[in-house]
Amino acid sequence: MPWTYILRCSDGSYYVGSTVDLDRRLSEHSSDDLGPVYTRRRRPVELAWSGWYERIDDAYWFEKQVQGWSRKKREALIRGEWDALPLLAKRPAARRRILDGQDRLSD
């Protein structure tokens, strides 16, 4: 089963990956010999989010997409705040304009 996942590292950073065997991959991240150097140096790590996909190329594509996301956008995904993701994709100045417009509408 293909997965995309986000790990929360001990230093508060996030690691995004994809795999066909999530349990095995999580074990590798905790191993002294296996897994990427990034997480080896930031252990312990914990699974913050995971999503299952029908095809491995879909999981890999989403991994690459999330790797380019801001911290705030990754944290919205972890919290399951799907509606917030489009707004968080905007540049900060554009986000402020949108939010300022919403504040004026609610007055």
Side-chain angles (χ1 to χ4, degrees), residues 21-78:
D21 186 340
L22 186 58
D23 290 332
R24 177 188 52 80
R25 191 63 178 140
L26 294 175
S27 176
E28 290 173 356
H29 280 288
S30 297
S31 167
D32 288 335
D33 303 338
L34 304 170
V37 172
Y38 186 88
T39 57
R40 231 180 292 157
R41 293 181 178 164
R42 292 167 174 82
R43 285 192 298 221
V45 297
E46 66 177 347
L47 182 64
W49 178 89
S50 63
W52 174 81
Y53 295 86
E54 290 283 333
R55 300 170 2 156
I56 188 63
D57 53 328
D58 293 334
Y60 179 76
W61 177 85
F62 195 64
E63 170 196 353
K64 294 305 172 192
Q65 186 177 14
V66 174
Q67 285 176 346
W69 287 3
S70 68
R71 179 179 187 84
K72 286 184 179 187
K73 192 169 178 181
R74 289 179 188 187
E75 290 174 344
L77 174 65
I78 291 167

Side-chain angles (χ1 to χ4, degrees), residues 70 72 87-100:
S70 68
K72 286 184 179 187
L87 178 63
L88 292 170
K90 306 238 182 260
R91 291 187 317 268
R95 259 196 320 263
R96 281 193 298 276
R97 282 195 304 275
I98 292 168
L99 294 174
D100 287 347

